Amino acid sequence: MASYSVNEAGFEFARELIAKRQYVLDSEWGAVQPKAAQETAYLERNGWGKYERWFLGLTDGANDHTKARYAFVFGDFRRIHRSGIIACHYRAAEWRHKEIELAAHELLQLIDEVAPRRPRKRNR
């Protein structure tokens, strides 16, 4: 099984996006998660420096400037998605990648602190 470390550039970029309110609170991650063709197109337009910021993890031992190096995508290359952070947290917890799990948890707490709260629906 691969091992991962936290991508500090991605973590800080996610914090910046949250601070700038560049997030989506409600989305279905499976529908909005970038597909391989979208990743390639973004990479070709923007280069590795911008591409790598969208990932919370770095694959240990993988070469820089390869797609295999970057893991745990959290946004759609425009905005961070709360559902993307949850997916990172879940997947990292499931496979016991503790550093990634804790980084995703911190981002989830941050987005929940700054995001407007929706009124809860009451069952009547």
Side-chain angles (χ1 to χ4, degrees):
M1 179 186 331
S3 61
Y4 302 93
S5 55
V6 173
N7 176 10
E8 294 297 333
F11 182 78
E12 289 305 318
F13 182 60
R15 290 177 57 87
E16 289 174 29
L17 290 172
I18 293 167
K20 293 177 181 176
R21 308 270 197 266
Q22 296 296 307
Y23 49 72
V24 177
L25 296 176
D26 295 309
S27 61
E28 187 176 323
W29 185 239
V32 298
Q33 179 180 3
K35 307 300 182 249
Q38 292 169 303
E39 288 186 10
T40 299
Y42 183 86
L43 178 58
E44 288 173 353
R45 281 192 317 272
N46 298 285
W48 289 104
K50 289 187 177 181
Y51 176 82
E52 70 182 7
R53 300 181 311 172
W54 289 98
F55 296 85
L56 193 53
L58 297 173
T59 308
D60 297 333
N63 292 328
D64 286 340
H65 301 151
T66 63
K67 282 187 170 184
R69 177 73 168 142
Y70 307 101
F72 298 94
V73 65
F74 54 76
D76 62 7
F77 298 122
R78 287 186 36 235
R79 296 169 294 183
I80 190 171
H81 283 254
R82 186 175 184 275
S83 61
I85 296 298
I86 291 169
C88 290
H89 184 268
Y90 175 83
R91 200 169 109 225
E94 179 181 29
W95 294 101
R96 298 183 180 175
H97 302 302
K98 199 60 162 177
E99 287 183 34
I100 305 298
E101 177 189 349
L102 293 173
H105 178 79
E106 186 175 333
L107 292 173
L108 183 59
Q109 298 309 303
L110 183 59
I111 202 168
D112 285 349
E113 284 175 16
V114 302
R117 301 233 190 273
R118 291 186 317 200
R120 288 185 151 194
K121 293 181 181 178
R122 291 188 164 185
N123 294 333
R124 296 182 188 224

